[in-house]
Amino acid sequence: MTFQRCTLTLLGAILALVQVTTADDLTSIADVRPANLRGIRCVVETDQPIDPEIVIAYKNARLYFSSKSAVEAYLKTPATYEAYANHQVIATKQYEQLACPLSGEEPDEDSVTVKIAGVDVQLLCEECAKELAKDTRKEQIEMLFDEEGFKLGKFQLRKSVSESMIRLPKDQVEWEAQRNEWMASLRRSSFASWPDESASLKVNQVLAEENDGVQLRAWEFESRQGTRLRLYVAHRSDLDKCDLVVLNPVDEKGWKEFASTYRVGFPKQFDQIESEKAEKSYEQTKSMFRSFAWAMAYVQVMDGSESAAETTEVTDAAASQDSFASRVWDIRRAIQALRSSEMKDVSLWLQGTGRVSDETLFASLFEPGVTRLDLYGLNPTSVEGAASLPQAVALAMERTRVVIYQDGESGWELPIAIGETLGRKKQLQIRPLP
């Protein structure tokens, strides 16, 4: 989803409980485990057997480790261990295979079954099996169970596991207890590194410029000590009062698309961006401003170790923080900075794409007054923070309207079911990608 397509959509539309835990703490997960864990190895310390009491949730299933230090290593760089994590949820029979992980085609009468590190895998042809047999265990796991192999193999959560992982609340009382537990887990596990929430934003306006009917302003604010970010707000020049402001947290790619668009009308502000001017996108944005009393706001979020703009300085302390928690925090502070301006009482939408949509979703759980979330490319099986994305969507539905853009409703069965139970089904909409 590009910056331009998100703008067009606005015009047209106007379980992973990831925490270090023991069995006694798993009160939000039914006490149902894979029947046989014998021979299962840790996804980090791959030569060590797992400890059944050291478990986190992963893709709405259970992921086992040999030690708490292994969990900590995994949580720092989960992508490093993705193939091993995928292999384990299949080895523990929590996931099942529907297609060949090399070709993506469904098995037929010529398919062969091979055992890869203790897992029976169906491959489409015998020749592939022979070639794969020449590889080491590590090479086989990384070949078949990495992100691409897992997708091609159409591995899916077994229904019995899905139904056992999270108890659906029967009523509002049960939901409130469950919600409080999930939120406490998020604060305790995922976002414990957040700075003092009472720290001053130290907001300072640094830009106010008009051109061709568009006003562009910018404020710098302190996200954490030593880290200042820049928040841009654009709307038509003669707008006295906004009906709506849409905050767009963006990554590096989204930032370049934003800068390419506004560089057309404000070249001096974005000359340092090496990209072509996006005249069509800017004309569409201007047309939107002429038609509606809306403002569009933008902030770039980044890993704690990288600097995204000349106005941003990152300290060693910030660089050492968990990057996911840092980016969620940056979005929260951007919301607060936006609210500190004349946008305080204006209806607020948040819009995120790809990785940033995950972070935007979690940020919305901690900031009041968000009217709507528009999320593109949200992956229901990804591991983010101390709650799965379906859990986070269920939490957000209580606070705001959530619109997810994807093809089909797959992956969001949990929030849909909770919405139906609690009478807020309309709070979640799943729309086709534009």
Side-chain angles (χ1 to χ4, degrees):
M1 175 60 59
T2 64
F3 171 83
Q4 292 90 337
R5 291 176 70 185
C6 287
T7 301
L8 285 172
T9 301
L10 273 176
L11 287 169
I14 289 289
L15 141 97
L17 185 69
V18 182
Q19 57 180 331
V20 180
T21 181
T22 65
D24 293 337
D25 297 324
L26 289 170
T27 54
S28 69
I29 303 179
D31 192 17
V32 177
R33 301 181 184 177
N36 185 7
L37 296 177
R38 184 177 301 172
I40 301 300
R41 298 188 190 182
C42 175
V43 303
V44 175
E45 299 167 342
T46 57
D47 60 341
Q48 297 296 315
I50 58 98
D51 181 339
E53 300 301 315
I54 302 179
V55 54
I56 68 174
Y58 172 78
K59 296 185 176 180
N60 292 335
R62 290 170 179 265
L63 196 61
Y64 296 90
F65 296 83
S66 57
S67 64
K68 289 187 177 181
S69 61
V71 177
E72 293 169 358
Y74 170 81
L75 292 177
K76 288 181 181 178
T77 57
T80 302
Y81 309 101
E82 182 173 17
Y84 290 89
N86 290 338
H87 172 266
Q88 191 192 93
V89 296
I90 300 164
T92 52
K93 301 189 184 305
Q94 298 178 84
Y95 269 72
E96 58 185 341
Q97 177 189 0
L98 298 182
C100 173
L102 296 177
S103 67
E105 298 180 38
E106 294 184 6
D108 55 28
E109 63 274 8
D110 296 324
S111 298
V112 294
T113 299
V114 295
K115 191 172 287 291
I116 303 296
V119 173
D120 288 335
V121 179
Q122 283 190 304
L123 301 178
L124 206 61
C125 68
E126 188 174 357
E127 189 62 33
C128 293
K130 291 179 179 179
E131 288 297 317
L132 195 64
K134 300 176 183 178
D135 294 333
T136 64
R137 179 182 186 273
K138 178 177 184 293
E139 290 170 337
Q140 290 172 343
I141 290 176
E142 293 178 351
M143 169 66 72
L144 296 179
F145 305 116
D146 64 359
E147 181 180 4
E148 182 180 2
F150 201 74
K151 183 177 180 180
L152 287 173
K154 298 178 183 177
F155 291 97
Q156 69 175 18
L157 190 67
R158 293 179 187 271
K159 186 176 181 182
S160 59
V161 177
S162 178
E163 291 175 346
S164 71
M165 285 302 296
I166 298 179
R167 294 192 302 268
L168 291 177
K170 297 178 181 178
D171 52 33
Q172 183 64 24
V173 174
E174 284 196 7
W175 163 249
E176 289 177 1
Q178 193 172 58
R179 174 242 298 161
N180 292 342
E181 178 189 328
W182 289 354
M183 291 298 291
S185 294
L186 281 169
R187 286 189 176 276
R188 181 178 62 249
S189 300
S190 298
F191 304 128
S193 63
W194 277 350
D196 181 3
E197 298 199 16
S198 65
S200 172
L201 287 164
K202 300 179 182 178
V203 179
N204 178 40
Q205 186 168 356
V206 295
L207 173 66
E209 188 174 332
E210 293 184 17
N211 183 42
D212 197 19
V214 176
Q215 182 177 74
L216 180 66
R217 293 177 293 169
W219 290 264
E220 289 183 1
F221 63 92
E222 187 170 275
S223 182
R224 64 187 68 83
Q225 186 175 7
T227 302
R228 293 187 65 78
L229 302 179
R230 180 170 290 193
L231 173 70
Y232 287 88
V233 178
H235 53 73
R236 72 169 182 255
S237 298
D238 61 353
L239 186 62
D240 294 325
K241 183 179 179 181
C242 286
D243 294 334
L244 169 71
V245 57
V246 181
L247 176 60
N248 298 268
V250 295
D251 57 12
E252 183 176 0
K253 179 182 177 183
W255 171 259
K256 289 182 178 180
E257 292 176 345
F258 156 72
S260 297
T261 295
Y262 283 88
R263 187 181 178 191
V264 177
F266 302 90
K268 292 182 180 180
Q269 300 301 324
F270 303 104
D271 275 347
Q272 74 277 16
I273 304 298
E274 295 181 2
S275 60
E276 297 294 329
K277 294 181 180 180
E279 285 86 356
K280 183 177 180 180
S281 177
Y282 187 65
E283 288 303 316
Q284 291 168 345
T285 302
K286 285 171 57 180
S287 176
M288 178 180 66
F289 289 154
R290 287 193 297 267
S291 301
F292 302 99
W294 297 347
M296 300 293 284
Y298 310 87
V299 66
Q300 184 178 3
V301 294
M302 69 203 97
D303 290 337
S305 60
E306 63 185 7
S307 176
E310 292 182 356
T311 58
T312 302
E313 298 177 0
V314 181
T315 64
D316 290 340
S320 67
Q321 289 182 346
D322 172 75
S323 59
F324 173 74
S326 296
R327 294 191 298 267
V328 174
W329 176 258
D330 287 345
I331 296 172
R332 287 192 62 195
R333 296 290 275 181
I335 293 171
Q336 295 167 16
L338 188 61
R339 289 302 196 195
S340 71
S341 68
E342 67 271 20
M343 301 292 177
K344 179 179 180 180
D345 299 318
V346 177
S347 178
L348 172 64
W349 288 13
L350 303 182
Q351 182 170 251
T353 300
R355 182 204 75 187
V356 181
S357 65
D358 300 9
E359 296 148 5
T360 301
L361 170 61
F362 280 97
S364 76
L365 302 181
F366 297 90
E367 294 298 325
V370 177
T371 308
R372 173 167 152 171
L373 292 171
D374 280 66
L375 306 171
Y376 302 81
L378 204 62
N379 183 355
T381 66
S382 69
V383 176
E384 297 286 13
S388 69
L389 295 192
Q391 284 175 282
V393 168
L395 291 168
M397 288 168 60
E398 186 177 33
R399 305 163 56 88
T400 187
R401 184 181 177 191
V402 182
V403 182
I404 297 173
Y405 294 87
Q406 69 172 43
D407 294 326
E409 296 186 354
S410 177
W412 306 108
E413 292 80 6
L414 175 67
I416 290 173
I418 291 177
E420 290 176 345
T421 300
L422 302 179
R424 43 175 173 261
K425 184 178 179 180
K426 294 182 179 179
Q427 287 293 95
L428 173 61
Q429 290 189 357
I430 301 176
R431 300 181 179 179
L433 286 167

